[in-house]
Amino acid sequence: QVQLVESGGGLVQAGASLRLSCAASGRTFSNYAMGWFRQVPGKEREFIARVSGSGSNTDYADSVKGRFTISRDNSKNTMYLQMNSLKPEDTAVYYCAAGGLYSKSLRAYAYWGQGTQVTVSS
């Protein structure tokens, strides 16, 4: 069992940076692949980035590639999403997730945080 709590969301202007954190509880954090997803009203939850359990492998959606960086510190049971050059279209609720496989699919993630709101103004 894994419990996840996101933090770091807020209201920023276009071009600004923001760092999201995902704090995990449990004794087997490093065994889980993790990912970030986002969702806006009326649309499906969207894959943003993923990182393998060891942190050695990462992947990004084309929409955020080059702007966002996913990382994890297993010694602190924490995953991060550094978001730079934010755009209004990045506005969404951002969710942290953990699962047994390194994947882009929502189906691969059994555990989810409550979400944190990111709003980017023009």
Side-chain angles (χ1 to χ4, degrees), residues 27-66:
R27 298 180 179 180
T28 57
F29 178 73
S30 63
N31 291 344
Y32 292 92
M34 300 190 72
W36 287 99
F37 296 78
R38 67 188 182 190
Q39 188 168 27
V40 299
K43 300 195 72 175
E44 296 180 350
R45 193 165 296 185
E46 174 190 19
F47 164 78
I48 297 301
R50 59 178 176 169
V51 59
S52 61
S54 67
S56 61
N57 296 302
T58 60
D59 191 33
Y60 301 89
D62 288 343
S63 60
V64 306
K65 194 172 299 181

Side-chain angles (χ1 to χ4, degrees), residues 2-119:
V2 177
Q3 295 176 341
L4 306 172
V5 179
E6 302 97 334
S7 63
L11 173 63
V12 298
Q13 293 188 335
S17 296
L18 208 57
R19 189 177 79 158
L20 305 184
S21 297
C22 174
S25 62
R27 298 180 179 180
T28 57
F29 178 73
S30 63
N31 291 344
Y32 292 92
M34 300 190 72
W36 287 99
F37 296 78
R38 67 188 182 190
Q39 188 168 27
V40 299
K43 300 195 72 175
E44 296 180 350
R45 193 165 296 185
E46 174 190 19
F47 164 78
I48 297 301
R50 59 178 176 169
V51 59
S52 61
S54 67
S56 61
N57 296 302
T58 60
D59 191 33
Y60 301 89
D62 288 343
S63 60
V64 306
K65 194 172 299 181
R67 299 188 297 120
F68 291 10
T69 302
I70 188 171
S71 63
R72 65 193 296 164
D73 186 341
N74 289 341
S75 69
K76 298 180 179 180
N77 286 357
T78 304
M79 180 179 66
Y80 306 96
L81 184 68
Q82 178 65 46
M83 304 185 293
N84 297 327
S85 301
L86 283 163
K87 304 175 181 180
E89 51 262 45
D90 294 320
T91 296
V93 176
Y94 283 71
Y95 295 91
C96 169
L101 295 173
Y102 175 63
S103 176
K104 297 180 180 180
S105 174
L106 273 67
R107 296 174 62 250
Y109 297 91
Y111 307 102
W112 294 84
Q114 83 288 349
T116 185
Q117 177 71 46
V118 172
T119 302

